Amino acid sequence: MPTAATDRLRVVFLTHNYPRHAGDVAGAFLHPLALALRDLDVDVRVVAPSDHGAGGRDTLDGIPIRRVRYGTATRERYAYTGTMADAIRTPGGLVALWRLIRALRQGAREEAAGADRVVVHAHWWMPAGLAAPPELPLVCTSHGTDVRLLERGALVRWLARGPLQRARVVTTVSTPFAALLGRHAGVTLASDAIQPMPVTPVARSRSTGGGGIVMLGRLTPQKRVALGIEGWAAARACGMARPLTIIGDGPERAALEHQIAALEAGDAVRLLGAIAPEAVPDALATADLLVMPARAEGFGLAAAEALMQGIPVVACTDGGGVLDVVPTTGGGRVVAPVPAAIADAMLDLLATPSARDDAAALGAEWAARLAPPFVA
């Protein structure tokens, strides 16, 4: 039964990335978790940055969001893009980060005020973990980009140890990242603290096949979409006739368009741009394979979503968290990050009739583990 209002647990999500509107892909995996916690009678509130001056209070599906200002409208450009780690290499970026941390901390304190039971849940140790008010209980979840930051040097690791060691609980989304947190931040995670974020709760019908090869994700260097295109071209040179569809957007788009044009493949390659999370099942409804050549993934949500629809997946040996998801046999292949190996894996899966059933069986397990009520 719901508890009395004064006894309700208040959870303040503190993050630099949360959907700005319905269908926004920025931090989209956090919203299903917020909704599921609310369904458990948790008072969930979100503190996130303003985007180009769009600050103030708003709501998304009834979840209250405070968008804190941290600069002029033209300077509020360091969140929501997936490029914050690179932006802070500049003096202007460092100043913006300092201001953002101050604004997030103040926003968290204001959202926590008046609650008898409150927990701050910082998503990413940088900047949210650094911004968490030290007087409030803290849960810190590392999603991937912040874990990779730890490999940049001693100064970054020193900064990270503050929030990560102060937190009552640290969680992360994959086994490789748990190991990195232990190695670089001195944090030992329990097995039940390795938990990917939930998937959007939408209907996911099994793929009918026939639609060709799909790549799904932001068009950034870390995703290595260019490598996936090279692998597809190598498979095509071996006689594979299936088209390639690339779903996503980002800073690599112009370079990828140039690469595609150079292939002279006609209409065999489509670059569709970004789609809303709830549109993913329709985008995968006829896919034969998902190719995920990304390096050092936090988890590899696209791979899990493909398996849920019975779509085999090709990933790379340096894929990070995606290796928790994609099997080396059955409904998936994990290969060296070179075009020939990716092409061979594609051809092998397409020639294996049982691969789709194996993918669907594994996908059912992931669907249960990634259901928002389970994660919450």
Side-chain angles (χ1 to χ4, degrees), residues 157-183:
R157 292 193 286 271
W158 175 79
L159 283 173
R161 284 175 181 264
L164 290 172
Q165 294 188 357
R166 179 173 68 81
R168 306 278 184 90
V169 176
V170 176
T171 79
T172 193
V173 296
S174 66
T175 302
F177 283 160
L180 286 172
L181 287 169
R183 185 181 314 140

Side-chain angles (χ1 to χ4, degrees), residues 184-315:
H184 294 312
V187 177
T188 301
L189 274 68
S191 59
D192 61 357
I194 302 172
Q195 174 60 57
M197 290 294 100
V199 297
T200 302
V202 294
R204 299 177 190 275
S205 60
R206 182 160 172 172
S207 170
T208 60
I213 315 303
V214 173
M215 286 194 284
L216 172 63
R218 278 187 55 76
L219 308 184
T220 62
Q222 178 260 331
K223 298 295 186 181
R224 294 195 302 206
V225 177
L227 174 61
I229 294 172
E230 291 176 4
W232 171 84
R236 191 167 182 259
C238 292
M240 185 195 71
R242 288 170 173 81
L244 173 65
T245 300
I246 302 166
I247 303 169
D249 210 343
E252 293 283 288
R253 178 162 186 151
L256 295 171
E257 289 173 340
H258 181 75
Q259 179 186 11
I260 292 167
L263 290 174
E264 298 182 349
D267 295 333
V269 183
R270 297 186 302 157
L271 211 170
L272 297 186
I275 62 173
E278 57 269 21
V280 169
D282 285 344
L284 297 179
T286 63
D288 294 303
L289 291 178
L290 181 84
V291 175
M292 196 167 184
R295 171 185 54 81
E297 277 287 279
F299 168 60
L301 179 59
E305 290 183 296
L307 292 170
M308 290 178 200
Q309 293 185 243
I311 302 165
V313 182
V314 177

Side-chain angles (χ1 to χ4, degrees), residues 24-39:
D24 191 12
V25 298
F29 51 83
L30 299 182
H31 191 54
L33 177 59
L35 294 172
L37 286 168
R38 184 188 63 186
D39 291 343

Side-chain angles (χ1 to χ4, degrees), residues 303-354:
E305 290 183 296
L307 292 170
M308 290 178 200
Q309 293 185 243
I311 302 165
V313 182
V314 177
C316 292
T317 51
D318 58 353
V322 74
L323 303 185
D324 280 359
V325 183
V326 180
T328 57
T329 60
R333 299 290 185 272
V334 178
V335 298
V338 295
I342 293 172
D344 287 345
M346 293 167 61
L347 295 169
D348 183 23
L349 284 169
L350 290 170
T352 304
S354 61

